Amino acid sequence: MESAIVVAVLVVFVVVIISRAVKFVPQGTNWTVERFGRFTRSLEPGLGIIVPFIDSIGYKVNMKERVLDIPPQEVISRDNAMVTIDAVCFFQVVSASKSAYEVNELEHAIRNLTMTNIRTVLGSLELDGMLSQRDEINERLLHIVDQATNPWGVKVTRIEIKDITPPQDLVEAMANQMKAEREKRANVLEAEGLRQAEILKAEGHKQAVVLAAEADKQRQVLDAEARERQAEAEAKATTMVSKAISEGDIQAVNYFVAQKYTEALAKIGDGENSKVLMIPVEASNLAGSLTGITEIVKSSFNGK
């Protein structure tokens, strides 16, 4: 009976020893091991063995990346504009021992450090720079806060400015300024369009004048060629008639008389003030002249 009690006590003791010595660390965490209250090592995820009753678990540190919300705060810019800044910080513990023993209340420390540097960085910028240089602001904040938290065994991965809210009156002033700029650009574009239209119109008029001058030049060339051909024809006719006269052909004389007579009638009829013409004409003489012209033409063609 006593032996059974001893065995039971030994079994209980062994179970207690094993439970105190064997530790199962979950994934994503590290446990610090303390011996008589002093840090000795860290247990990584999986099975860990410690010395029972001598070693103990100090801190269970979360090694996963965490999101820390930075509360909104008011910041005065370099040009004295009051804005409200809202941000978020992403960090990850890379050293369980430093995060456990180098700083107290890690998240609270990172939050206050970030808020302080937000005031410093954004306070050195003007409002336009705050609104247009968010990427540069995020990079500067990340560099500063990451260096400051490095002794705590923390890696700050990102700091993002979520929102920059100016006062309502400043927002209205910016909206009015933007509206004025857009109206200015619209007026400039309209003026440029009118200028371009006038230029195109002038170019079209210039081309029309050039084409008209070219057409008039071509018409003059054609008229000159026509007059030249007419002169050549008249010269040939005069030569033909002169030859006929030299040969004693009376019909040639009648041709010249009829030609001058007909030209004189045409000039009288073309007068602006002439309404009715009373000219004595012997139709037989004009007809005879025309007959003479016909005979000359016939004799010329028969000769050829």
Side-chain angles (χ1 to χ4, degrees):
M1 187 67 179
E2 292 180 357
S3 60
I5 294 174
V6 172
V7 171
V9 170
L10 290 176
V11 169
V12 171
F13 181 75
V14 170
V15 170
V16 171
I17 292 297
I18 294 175
S19 64
R20 295 293 299 271
V22 179
K23 302 296 180 183
F24 296 97
V25 181
Q27 183 67 34
T29 59
N30 279 6
W31 292 0
T32 62
V33 178
E34 298 176 355
R35 178 168 295 177
F36 301 116
R38 182 180 180 181
F39 170 76
T40 57
R41 60 193 177 94
S42 297
L43 295 179
E44 296 183 353
L47 179 63
I49 305 296
I50 63 175
V51 179
F53 305 109
I54 297 177
D55 294 340
S56 62
I57 301 299
Y59 292 91
K60 298 179 179 180
V61 182
N62 184 359
M63 304 297 291
K64 294 180 288 186
E65 186 173 3
R66 285 177 274 179
V67 180
L68 185 62
D69 188 44
I70 307 299
Q73 57 179 326
E74 292 183 347
V75 177
I76 300 177
S77 65
R78 192 169 65 180
D79 52 354
N80 296 324
M82 182 73 70
V83 295
T84 302
I85 308 297
D86 190 10
V88 62
C89 176
F90 297 83
F91 71 95
Q92 184 177 14
V93 176
V94 295
S95 175
S97 59
K98 290 182 178 181
S99 66
Y101 300 106
E102 296 294 335
V103 61
N104 189 29
E105 298 184 4
L106 178 63
E107 290 190 358
H108 181 69
I110 295 175
R111 181 181 293 109
N112 282 275
L113 180 63
T114 305
M115 292 175 64
T116 303
N117 283 279
I118 285 176
R119 293 193 188 98
T120 302
V121 172
L122 273 74
S124 63
L125 300 174
E126 295 183 355
L127 180 60
D128 292 340
M130 290 183 184
L131 298 176
S132 61
Q133 302 176 9
R134 290 201 181 188
D135 291 338
E136 290 81 357
I137 294 172
N138 294 337
E139 289 294 332
R140 289 181 60 185
L141 288 173
L142 176 62
H143 178 71
I144 295 172
V145 177
D146 185 49
Q147 281 190 339
T149 57
N150 187 49
W152 302 342
V154 174
K155 174 64 178 176
V156 178
T157 57
R158 289 191 305 275
I159 295 180
E160 300 288 340
I161 301 297
K162 294 195 297 184
D163 193 18
I164 299 177
T165 308
Q168 185 62 32
D169 56 346
L170 190 56
V171 173
E172 293 177 357
M174 294 171 62
N176 293 332
Q177 181 182 2
M178 185 180 298
K179 182 179 179 181
E181 288 292 334
R182 289 178 178 175
E183 291 179 353
K184 177 182 176 181
R185 288 197 296 268
N187 293 331
V188 170
L189 291 176
E190 183 179 1
E192 186 66 24
L194 294 175
R195 174 176 172 272
Q196 192 66 24
E198 291 295 332
I199 292 175
L200 293 177
K201 184 178 179 181
E203 288 290 338
H205 180 69
K206 176 183 176 181
Q207 292 181 2
V209 171
V210 171
L211 292 176
E214 290 290 337
D216 185 66
K217 178 181 177 181
Q218 189 67 22
R219 180 183 60 78
Q220 292 178 2
V221 171
L222 295 176
D223 290 344
E225 292 179 353
R227 287 194 300 271
E228 183 179 357
R229 288 195 296 268
Q230 183 180 1
E232 291 178 355
E234 290 180 354
K236 289 181 181 179
T238 302
T239 302
M240 188 183 300
V241 174
S242 298
K243 183 178 180 182
I245 292 173
S246 64
E247 293 176 355
D249 192 350
I250 194 59
Q251 301 296 335
V253 178
N254 292 334
Y255 166 75
F256 274 108
V257 173
Q259 183 183 18
K260 299 301 181 180
Y261 189 76
T262 304
E263 291 176 356
L265 289 177
K267 291 180 179 180
I268 294 172
D270 290 338
E272 295 181 357
N273 298 324
S274 60
K275 301 299 182 179
V276 179
L277 298 177
M278 305 268 314
I279 300 175
V281 177
E282 271 189 41
S284 60
N285 292 337
L286 182 59
S289 299
L290 295 176
T291 303
I293 296 171
T294 305
E295 291 298 332
I296 293 173
V297 175
K298 287 183 179 180
S299 63
S300 297
F301 280 102
N302 291 332
K304 292 182 180 180

